[in-house]
Amino acid sequence: MGCFFWRSWVRAQLNQWQIRNQLLIPPTREAFSQALQEGNFSILHYVGHGDKDGILLEDEGWQSHLLTSVELLRILKGSSRKIHLVFVGACHGEEAGKAFHNAGVPYVIHTKKDSQVSEKAVQIFSQYFYRALFAGSTPQQAYQTAFLKLKQQSKPHLQEQADHFCYLPGPIRTDLPIPGIRGHHLFS
């Protein structure tokens, strides 16, 4: 099992938990599509910029390009890759989150379509979410833990951002942890 992560703080935490992870540099549309088609991961964690219509990837010259939710769904539908969990840590991440969910990903965490989130809020939420998940919590329990931890932050602007995160459970039982989560491979 694997996971895909953009940011070094996520990678450092994964290394601490001894979770194999893969970083996509530069995060181009081609590399992202290829990773979705061929990658060895079961958790995808996207931290980057979002748009109400999708997520922003980059080209070799580090210029941003929109990958629409429609394009994302088309890529996912053409893949035989089984992703168990997706975390979309970007402003306006709802449409991308729904694309992953509609493609059959059982558990999706995303931000609301009309919300902007700070990198710090995503960092805190992610930290508590994965800590709980890798300790054996179900994705729903891990989401609730992260939500409450962000709500308990001392800075009001971080507390308010907890309401920007959403959890989409899949059609399977949400009261069970993801099987064999420890030692899995992550893609970012």
Side-chain angles (χ1 to χ4, degrees):
M1 179 190 279
C3 185
F4 175 65
F5 288 88
W6 275 178
R7 303 282 190 204
S8 60
W9 53 265
V10 175
R11 290 181 59 101
Q13 189 66 60
L14 291 173
N15 289 333
Q16 180 181 337
W17 290 326
Q18 299 178 341
I19 302 293
R20 293 174 290 142
N21 57 84
Q22 176 184 346
L23 182 64
L24 188 63
I25 298 178
T28 65
R29 176 187 306 258
E30 294 76 23
F32 190 75
S33 296
Q34 183 177 1
L36 289 175
Q37 298 287 327
E38 303 168 9
N40 180 25
F41 61 93
S42 55
I43 298 174
L44 186 144
H45 183 99
Y46 174 84
V47 176
H49 294 288
D51 179 274
K52 291 184 180 183
D53 295 322
I55 57 175
L56 296 175
L57 298 174
E58 297 169 350
D59 62 22
E60 297 290 337
W62 300 98
Q63 295 296 312
S64 295
H65 296 279
L66 178 66
L67 178 66
T68 68
S69 299
V70 172
E71 294 170 305
L72 179 58
L73 184 58
R74 185 176 31 240
I75 292 167
L76 292 165
K77 290 285 189 179
S79 172
S80 61
R81 177 88 220 114
K82 177 63 175 160
I83 302 172
H84 295 287
L85 177 117
V86 170
F87 189 112
V88 181
C91 296
H92 316 295
E94 186 169 348
E95 291 304 313
K98 286 180 178 178
F100 282 109
H101 194 252
N102 291 338
V105 175
Y107 306 103
V108 177
I109 307 294
H110 66 78
T111 55
K112 292 180 181 176
K113 187 173 190 165
D114 60 349
S115 58
Q116 295 184 347
V117 292
S118 69
E119 187 170 342
K120 185 66 174 175
V122 173
Q123 181 180 2
I124 292 167
F125 195 96
S126 298
Q127 176 185 5
Y128 286 107
F129 176 78
Y130 288 113
R131 184 177 293 161
L133 187 69
F134 295 141
S137 293
T138 67
Q140 184 173 16
Q141 291 166 335
Y143 169 83
Q144 291 167 339
T145 297
F147 176 86
L148 292 173
K149 292 293 187 179
L150 193 53
K151 278 286 194 189
Q152 294 169 354
Q153 294 298 303
S154 61
K155 296 181 179 175
H157 74 280
L158 291 173
Q159 295 171 358
E160 294 166 5
Q161 290 187 45
D163 294 323
H164 298 304
F165 291 90
C166 299
Y167 171 71
L168 292 175
I172 61 175
R173 290 181 58 186
T174 59
D175 60 339
L176 300 173
I178 295 175
I181 192 74
R182 298 291 272 155
H184 282 241
H185 188 153
L186 307 178
F187 177 67
S188 60

